[in-house]
Amino acid sequence: MPELSHIDPRSAALLVMDYQVDILTKFMTAAQSADAIACVPDLIAMARDAVMMVLHVVVAFRPAIPRSAPVTPYSAR
């Protein structure tokens, strides 16, 4: 687990995004995805123990808005 002692909790925040299988599998294997997701509760607990701001973000798009521009690596299939 990462050490947070070098991070100033007064000027930092932990951003926790929703995990989408389609995005994770573009960058890592299923086993790596499971390992990454398994770390999240401990990271949140560590940040809260350090009185660091924790932000939870859910990504959603309106039906008329594309997910991303067609030229980004995230939208390439």
Side-chain angles (χ1 to χ4, degrees):
M1 189 53 61
E3 176 63 43
L4 297 179
S5 63
H6 64 284
I7 298 172
D8 183 355
R10 296 169 299 175
S11 61
L14 175 65
L15 175 64
V16 181
M17 295 184 68
D18 63 325
Y19 290 97
Q20 299 175 9
V21 173
D22 188 42
I23 299 299
L24 289 176
T25 57
K26 289 183 186 290
F27 301 103
M28 58 184 75
T29 66
Q32 291 169 325
S33 297
D35 289 345
I37 292 169
C39 292
V40 174
D42 289 336
L43 287 170
I44 292 170
M46 289 173 68
R48 288 184 174 151
D49 287 347
V51 193
M52 181 184 296
M53 183 181 300
V54 177
L55 304 167
H56 297 265
V57 178
V58 176
V59 178
F61 299 94
R62 293 179 284 174
I65 307 297
R67 293 187 311 179
S68 60
V71 296
T72 68
Y74 305 110
S75 60
R77 295 211 179 233

